[in-house]
Amino acid sequence: MRVALIGNQNSGKTTLFNLLTGNNQKIGNWPGVTIEKKEGRIRSTDFDIIDLPGVYSLTPYTIEESITRNYLFEEDVDLILNILDSTNLERSLYLTTQLLELDIPVLVALNMSDIALQRGIKIDYKFLEEKLDTTMVPISALKKTGVFDLIQIIKQRSFRKNNYDHIYDHGLEECLNTLEKELTHKHKRYIAIKLLEGDEAFDEFHQNGSKKLVSSMCNNYHRDMEQVIVDERYRYIEFIRDEAIQSNKDHMTTTDKLDRIFLNKYLAIPIFVIIMFSVYYLAAGPFGSMTVDFVDKYVTMFSEWVQVSLASLGASSWSQSLVVDGILAGVGAILTFLPQLSILFLLISFLESSGYMSRIAFFLDKVFQKVGLSGKSLIPFIIGSGCSVPAIMSARTIHDETEKKMTIMLTPFVPCSAKLPIITLFAGYFFGDYSGIVSASLYFFAVIVIITSAFIMKQLLFKGKTSSFILELPNYKMPHFGYMFKDVGEKVLAFIKQAGSIILLASIIVWFLLSFSFRFEYGINPDQSMLAQLGNIFSWILYPFLGELSWEATVSAMQGLVAKEQVVASMAIIAGYSEEVTDGIFIFNSQAFSFFTPASAYAFMVFNLFSAPCFGAIGAMKRELGTTKRMWKAVFFQTGLAWVIATIVYQFLHIFEVVL
Ligand code: GDP
Ligand code: MG
């Protein structure tokens, strides 16, 4: 017998799974993705149980949803154990209404009953059982109550074989019944609904006269059928909720009290600004810079030691140069930013797991809707502060094509972690005590550019309505530190891997192009190198916002296409190439980069922030936008916009430099 454990994220699935299975667990990954797959045997029974990824519905918009739905459709599942969060019944029941439409018995575990009790929420289980025609068991996976009953019900197979089919309004029910008669598959009701919704993924299920039937039925509604079904589900859920739940309305929870402040009409945005500002101030400000100097000292010591050792081993001068001026200069420059990034990752992880991040999505949703995006775009934007690649992929959850395309094109504007080294390097050197403010200003700059471009795109290109966004706010809670450290650890590891692979390779190539001329002469003046020749071809492009024709800055910015970290790595290699030692401020004291002023420094940061992302992200854009042509459009749009903004910023700031 096989049981599938299904529920929303954070409903307590894993906690219950561990409790039910004890040590009989097999852990792996779902094929092709890094989402965890856990299987095990329920204690003292012959039931195998599988912990499916957390989902809010069975529509396959996310990878999690596809996995869960395919599993239910393709494997022989004997029982669905649907776990709900009793404190959030409305949201949890949405999934339940879909599960009940499959031809698989459903047993519902109402989890978190301890919290419900604490908050004075009373649930009439019998009423819910009647209305949904299923079996319900209140449990607390954390406090281990009710779990024994649950196992007994499974073991004795004493759950109802649900026969539930009366939640929609009369006309719709009739439509569905007629349609079901045309079908011969399993899960008739579920498929009938999908066909009625016009879900393309289900086209192959059309049979007999079903296609004709669907189009004649939909004609009676004059509305998006998917929306009709969603509305009907919520109508029914609201009805049973009102009947089944008695909550103590006067009882204000801590979350309610905190939300009065964090979601206050006037305070929400200022608090958000202050919080994000503090995050960047801590990571990129004076404290963060201290950590950079600290690591830099050791990196420098290490490369001096390597140089001396190589020399004493009699290594040739070019091989010494490759290791010290190429590899160590490039990779080392990136690794010095590691502590700073760890601070940033830690703070963002804290905001996420404490529940605050969802609040940002909640109140920005209104602003976003005005400019043609929805709160759903915020998920990619938030993920984008780590890396654009998964962020662009997560835009799949956006249903509306226009919104999705806009989100994909705008996501790379969010300062990803690889851009942070560029920001802190320039901000730290040119803006000293104000480096934190300047770094944070770039974050808000990005927000403003995203909102403005969305607004303009919407006016010019895509007209239409924006979709609504259903988001339930989780309770605030003290983050779980073990989880936070694991999260940060994974991101740090990914950063180190990047430095050890792509940056390492790119550094070797930069060193090679810098050390040789096109006639393969070694020991030349860097100005005659292949790298310089290449840079000279394009340096006019950057002239309007650098105020200088610099092949060095040009080739470094171009390497942002490989990886944004590589901009800094390349600058370190070029600057260090002809100097004896490398120390914290050597880049901007070197002949190559001494032309930078605060105005051109800020403009250069802006350009790197908004121009085309790295190849990884460009590839993701191509996949998600669907065609190469759209990808090129996005790349030109991003780079063109970056160039225009950088030039305006430079010309404007430069006036002050001339006057002062
Ligand atoms: P999943 O995302 O569905 O796998 O959820 P988890 O099992 O990871 O649980 C999410 C959080 O809810 C964890 O911090 C659990 O400790 C907590 N949790 C799970 N079940 C209960 C419960 O019955 N009562 C309370 N108070 N907390 C619970
Ligand atoms: Mg889990």
Side-chain angles (χ1 to χ4, degrees), residues 322-352:
L322 169 63
V323 174
V324 176
D325 303 328
I327 297 174
L328 286 174
V331 176
I334 293 309
L335 288 182
T336 52
F337 293 98
L338 198 56
Q340 228 181 2
L341 277 173
S342 312
I343 299 172
L344 185 78
F345 292 153
L346 194 68
L347 294 171
I348 290 192
S349 179
F350 181 87
L351 291 183
E352 263 168 13

Side-chain angles (χ1 to χ4, degrees), residues 319-514:
S319 61
Q320 282 181 41
S321 173
L322 169 63
V323 174
V324 176
D325 303 328
I327 297 174
L328 286 174
V331 176
I334 293 309
L335 288 182
T336 52
F337 293 98
L338 198 56
Q340 228 181 2
L341 277 173
S342 312
I343 299 172
L344 185 78
F345 292 153
L346 194 68
L347 294 171
I348 290 192
S349 179
F350 181 87
L351 291 183
E352 263 168 13
S353 46
S354 63
Y356 182 70
M357 224 40 139
S358 323
R359 266 75 192 174
I360 303 180
F362 184 78
F363 64 73
L364 283 185
D365 186 33
K366 293 196 190 81
V367 183
F368 273 44
Q369 279 199 21
K370 288 211 178 84
V371 299
L373 295 167
S374 76
K376 274 200 175 162
S377 315
L378 255 147
I379 297 161
F381 294 160
I382 290 170
I383 299 177
S385 66
C387 173
S388 301
V389 176
I392 290 169
M393 281 163 59
S394 73
R396 274 183 209 173
T397 49
I398 302 173
H399 209 14
D400 181 90
E401 274 299 308
T402 311
E403 263 174 55
K404 187 166 95 183
K405 280 192 203 122
M406 278 165 69
T407 308
I408 291 169
M409 286 165 80
L410 298 174
T411 297
F413 288 163
V414 177
C416 70
S417 59
K419 290 173 186 162
L420 210 70
I422 308 177
I423 296 176
T424 42
L425 174 73
F426 280 86
Y429 183 81
F430 288 100
F431 300 95
D433 289 345
Y434 300 105
S435 61
I437 300 181
V438 168
S439 313
S441 79
L442 282 158
Y443 181 83
F444 291 109
F445 206 139
V447 174
I448 292 168
V449 168
I450 288 172
I451 292 180
T452 324
S453 339
F455 182 73
I456 295 171
M457 276 185 185
K458 171 94 178 158
Q459 301 300 317
L460 292 180
L461 308 171
F462 316 104
K463 297 217 162 60
K465 59 175 176 38
T466 54
S467 65
S468 57
F469 175 48
I470 309 160
L471 175 99
E472 198 116 354
L473 294 172
N475 291 320
Y476 288 103
K477 61 169 188 270
M478 202 56 205
H480 191 280
F481 285 95
Y483 169 79
M484 262 170 64
F485 284 116
K486 190 170 154 241
D487 181 40
V488 172
E490 276 167 11
K491 287 181 184 159
V492 164
L493 209 65
F495 188 78
I496 294 177
K497 270 193 196 149
Q498 172 95 344
S501 53
I502 295 177
I503 304 296
L504 176 70
L505 190 69
S507 296
I508 294 174
I509 294 172
V510 172
W511 174 86
F512 175 77
L513 293 176
L514 186 63

Side-chain angles (χ1 to χ4, degrees), residues 275-345:
I275 288 180
M276 289 322 281
F277 181 80
S278 315
V279 165
Y280 273 78
Y281 192 80
L282 278 172
F287 176 69
S289 315
M290 250 165 56
T291 65
V292 173
D293 294 342
F294 180 79
V295 181
D296 191 48
K297 212 171 73 195
Y298 287 98
V299 170
T300 310
M301 268 165 54
F302 180 70
S303 51
E304 276 165 11
W305 175 80
V306 170
Q307 174 136 44
V308 172
S309 312
L310 283 176
S312 69
L313 288 173
S316 60
S317 74
W318 73 264
S319 61
Q320 282 181 41
S321 173
L322 169 63
V323 174
V324 176
D325 303 328
I327 297 174
L328 286 174
V331 176
I334 293 309
L335 288 182
T336 52
F337 293 98
L338 198 56
Q340 228 181 2
L341 277 173
S342 312
I343 299 172
L344 185 78
F345 292 153

